[in-house]
Amino acid sequence: MQTRISNKVISKIGKHSLLAGAFLLLVIAGAKIDLDLGGVVSFTLQTLFLGLAYYYLPLGWRLLLILTYLGLGIAGVPVFNGGTGCEYFSSWPLGFFIGFVLAAFILVPKGRRFVSAFSYFLGMHLVIVLLGVLWMFYYSGSSLSPMEVTLELLPGAIIKSLVGTGVVFGISKVFR
């Protein structure tokens, strides 16, 4: 009996390790996919992949993933969209990075309903956007209003939330 339990635990650890590693690579790649829509802040796919990672990973693995990602960037590995190192990390994007960590604590909905999955992804994006924008304005003292930048980022957050919801539903149909 104990061997069976140990095998289940090892199997879960292995599954989560592979999933977290794959999502880490997707988050890094997503940060590098920069769609220039002419705005103040880049439109990347980083938060889409981060949301999917958070949706499928338990809390401990979410935190390990995001802390590994941030640690790599602070150490100088080019994983962020706009720069590397501790100096870049602690500059204007710090609020977004704090949002990445706090979003890991958002509870994943139990059911697989469209509204609950979409609300999850949208809530995650809103936490990241609001903290990012607030810090960006505190740090830079920009003449633009935080509301303008937030409104500029919202369409991307909605689009990425819809795509994330679609991916969740696609995966649930394939693995029924």
Side-chain angles (χ1 to χ4, degrees), residues 54-82:
Y54 288 176
Y55 194 88
Y56 288 108
L57 290 171
L59 178 60
W61 288 95
R62 295 176 192 184
L63 292 172
L64 180 62
L65 176 132
I66 196 58
L67 294 175
T68 299
Y69 172 73
L70 296 174
L72 288 169
I74 291 168
V77 178
V79 297
F80 300 146
N81 174 267

Side-chain angles (χ1 to χ4, degrees), residues 23-139:
F23 277 124
L24 178 61
L25 293 175
L26 285 171
V27 169
I28 292 168
K32 300 301 181 181
I33 299 170
D34 190 350
L35 307 171
D36 185 5
L37 303 177
V40 176
V41 180
S42 299
F43 179 91
T44 68
L45 299 182
Q46 178 179 33
T47 56
L48 168 64
F49 295 131
L50 191 62
L52 287 167
Y54 288 176
Y55 194 88
Y56 288 108
L57 290 171
L59 178 60
W61 288 95
R62 295 176 192 184
L63 292 172
L64 180 62
L65 176 132
I66 196 58
L67 294 175
T68 299
Y69 172 73
L70 296 174
L72 288 169
I74 291 168
V77 178
V79 297
F80 300 146
N81 174 267
T84 61
C86 194
E87 188 174 315
Y88 175 76
F89 174 84
S90 62
S91 67
W92 71 268
L94 180 63
F96 293 100
F97 295 141
I98 292 170
F100 290 175
V101 174
L102 292 181
F105 291 95
I106 296 174
L107 296 176
V108 177
K110 298 234 186 279
R112 296 282 195 249
R113 294 184 19 238
F114 176 84
V115 172
S116 58
F118 179 70
S119 297
Y120 166 79
F121 283 102
L122 191 58
M124 186 211 68
H125 278 97
L126 290 177
V127 165
I128 293 167
V129 166
L130 292 176
L131 286 168
V133 168
L134 288 173
W135 177 259
M136 189 170 80
F137 281 94
Y138 170 77
Y139 181 82

